[in-house]
């Protein structure tokens, strides 16, 4: 019986700690990693993607989020389209990657102390687990909102 009470008490303490963190710990704004910026308008969002249905679906969902912020302009590039090759080379994008998103010329941001790169599929929405990136749609929304 004491073990059950101990488990209940520990669980309650963890839940209260989590609620306290969510409600009262201030969140740091997402920070642009400006050392990599290439003199690009901070409101320009460049989306690179493969022309495959899973990648296009991610791009469409990302565009819906970006459209909530009218100050941002979206430019889309298809990795397989020859007309995109100079822009792909400019950013040094190599290898097989389904999606890459650049905001203001960069795709790496610091969110709550963690480095987040908008590359590959978002967390929880990966067509192939090996191509799941470190970012989520909530991270995209946070960067857009914090850097208006």
């Amino acid at each position: 019986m004491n073990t059950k009470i101990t488990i209940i008490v520990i669980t309650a303490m963890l839940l209260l700690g989590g609620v306290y963190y969510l409600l009262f710990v201030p969140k740091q704004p997402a920070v642009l990693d400006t050392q990599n910026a290439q003199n690009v308008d901070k409101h320009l969002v460049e989306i690179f993607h493969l022309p495959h249905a899973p990648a296009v679906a991610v791009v469409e969902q990302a565009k819906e989020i970006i459209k909530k912020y009218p100050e941002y302009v979206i430019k889309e590039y298809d990795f397989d389209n020859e007309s995109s090759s100079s822009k792909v080379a400019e950013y040094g994008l190599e290898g097989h990657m389904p999606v890459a998103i650049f905001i203001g010329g960069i795709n790496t941001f610091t969110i709550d102390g963690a480095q987040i790169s908008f590359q590959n599929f978002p967390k929880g929405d990966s067509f192939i687990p090996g191509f799941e990136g470190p970012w989520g749609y909530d991270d995209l929304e946070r960067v857009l909102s914090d850097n208006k």
Side-chain angles (χ1 to χ4, degrees), residues 47 49-65 76 98-99 121-122 125 127 135 137:
I47 304 174
H49 65 87
L50 291 172
H52 306 185
V56 171
V58 167
V59 169
E60 291 305 315
Q61 193 158 349
K63 285 168 41 178
E64 287 303 312
I65 293 168
E76 197 173 330
V99 177
F121 290 111
D125 196 8
F127 176 66
W135 67 283
Y137 295 112

Side-chain angles (χ1 to χ4, degrees), residues 11-120:
T11 303
M13 289 172 52
L14 289 171
L15 286 172
L16 287 173
V19 169
Y20 175 83
Y21 177 80
L22 290 173
L23 295 177
F24 301 110
V25 175
K27 303 287 186 269
Q28 297 175 348
V31 178
L32 292 167
D33 184 3
T34 54
Q35 75 183 42
N36 294 325
Q38 302 175 3
N39 296 322
V40 175
D41 177 8
K42 78 175 197 169
H43 294 118
L44 176 62
V45 179
E46 295 168 294
I47 304 174
F48 298 82
H49 65 87
L50 291 172
H52 306 185
V56 171
V58 167
V59 169
E60 291 305 315
Q61 193 158 349
K63 285 168 41 178
E64 287 303 312
I65 293 168
I66 298 163
K67 288 176 185 176
K68 294 179 190 177
Y69 302 91
E71 62 273 17
Y72 287 95
V73 175
I74 302 168
K75 288 194 178 180
E76 197 173 330
Y77 302 93
D78 178 336
F79 280 123
D80 287 353
N81 190 320
E82 187 63 35
S83 66
S84 300
S85 62
S86 65
K87 200 58 145 167
V88 169
E90 178 183 327
Y91 282 116
L93 298 172
E94 297 177 350
H96 187 81
M97 117 184 31
V99 177
I101 301 173
F102 287 77
I103 302 166
I106 56 175
N107 77 339
T108 301
F109 300 83
T110 302
I111 300 176
D112 293 333
Q115 291 270 316
I116 303 293
S117 292
F118 292 103
Q119 196 164 303
N120 290 322

